[in-house]
Amino acid sequence: MSLAAYRRTAYEAAGAVAHVGRRSAAVDALLAQLGARRGGFITAENPFSRLTPPGWNARAMRRFDEAIRRLPSAAGHGGWRRWREAHRLVAADPRRLLVLARRFRQRAIVVVARGAPARLTFSLAPAGSGRAACP
């Protein structure tokens, strides 16, 4: 998935929608409901942003849900055009979420914090960039 595609994707959990670079009052309210100031949208589906069979994705999400069972979270999805995958908004320190993203071979997460715009953060260097993070 290209950087532009990540930025165009709508990230949703429990009815609250986030877009990279924009602040969302609904996401702020959901974070407050989860008892957190910050968190992130993360998935275990489609590792390295490559389309993976539905059965594989379902098993990966079950393992992911087990990994976050002690963290406050809300189920949701992300999508743009024909791309759609399950996500969770997990209320946790973004550094912890980046560790999870690397464990589940995710290129990036969308970090959210109350009162701030959503931020795309790479857990693995974007193809050809040599960098590990994008503001």
Side-chain angles (χ1 to χ4, degrees), residues 5 8 16 18 21-22 27 30 32 39 42 57-58 73 97 106 113 124 128 134:
R8 289 182 182 121
R22 297 188 209 156
V27 170
L30 181 54
I42 184 171
N57 282 333
S73 66
L97 298 178
Q106 298 300 307
L124 304 170
C134 176

Side-chain angles (χ1 to χ4, degrees), residues 110-125:
V110 175
V111 174
V112 291
R114 285 198 265 171
R119 187 176 88 241
L120 182 64
T121 303
F122 285 94
S123 56
L124 304 170

Side-chain angles (χ1 to χ4, degrees), residues 29-88:
L30 181 54
L31 284 170
Q33 182 181 339
L34 294 172
R37 295 210 42 78
R38 58 193 177 159
F41 287 90
I42 184 171
T43 186
E45 291 191 1
N46 304 311
F48 303 113
S49 300
R50 293 192 180 107
L51 193 59
T52 306
W56 193 99
N57 282 333
R59 287 187 301 278
M61 284 306 288
R62 283 194 297 275
R63 287 191 307 275
F64 180 75
D65 286 337
E66 179 63 23
I68 64 166
R69 72 185 179 282
R70 291 188 174 96
L71 298 171
S73 66
H77 65 274
W80 178 63
R81 292 188 176 173
R82 287 191 245 169
W83 186 275
R84 184 176 170 92
E85 60 190 9
H87 278 112
R88 304 292 181 260

